[in-house]
Amino acid sequence: MSRKHSVFDSANLRKQELECLRMEADCLQLAGAVDSPLVKSHFIGMAQKWAALAVWGLEQGYQGEDLN
């Protein structure tokens, strides 16, 4: 793998991580904006999944591994 290619991959990994973290933040914001405990719980759960996906992607290198 060339150095240029690995720098490109690193940039993509960071971009994907930031997208997951942004989705996590959005879900937490939505959870704070609703009154329903059920809906709040749903958004908090989704936030946790987005956070885990960001961590998983960095660990796996986003190389198309199955998430399950």
Side-chain angles (χ1 to χ4, degrees):
M1 180 182 304
S2 72
R3 178 162 171 76
K4 183 177 180 180
H5 186 68
S6 64
V7 170
F8 178 74
D9 288 345
S10 293
N12 279 341
L13 291 175
R14 184 66 179 155
K15 181 181 176 186
Q16 290 177 10
E17 177 196 17
L18 291 173
E19 288 172 355
C20 290
L21 294 175
R22 184 171 45 247
M23 292 296 295
E24 176 195 18
D26 288 348
C27 287
L28 290 173
Q29 185 176 14
L30 289 167
V34 297
D35 293 326
S36 167
L38 183 62
V39 175
K40 185 180 296 278
S41 175
H42 172 76
F43 281 124
I44 290 171
M46 289 303 300
Q48 292 169 341
K49 289 178 183 183
W50 282 113
L53 185 58
V55 171
W56 177 90
L58 289 175
E59 291 172 351
Q60 300 300 317
Y62 293 107
Q63 296 176 4
E65 289 86 350
D66 217 358
L67 295 178
N68 298 326

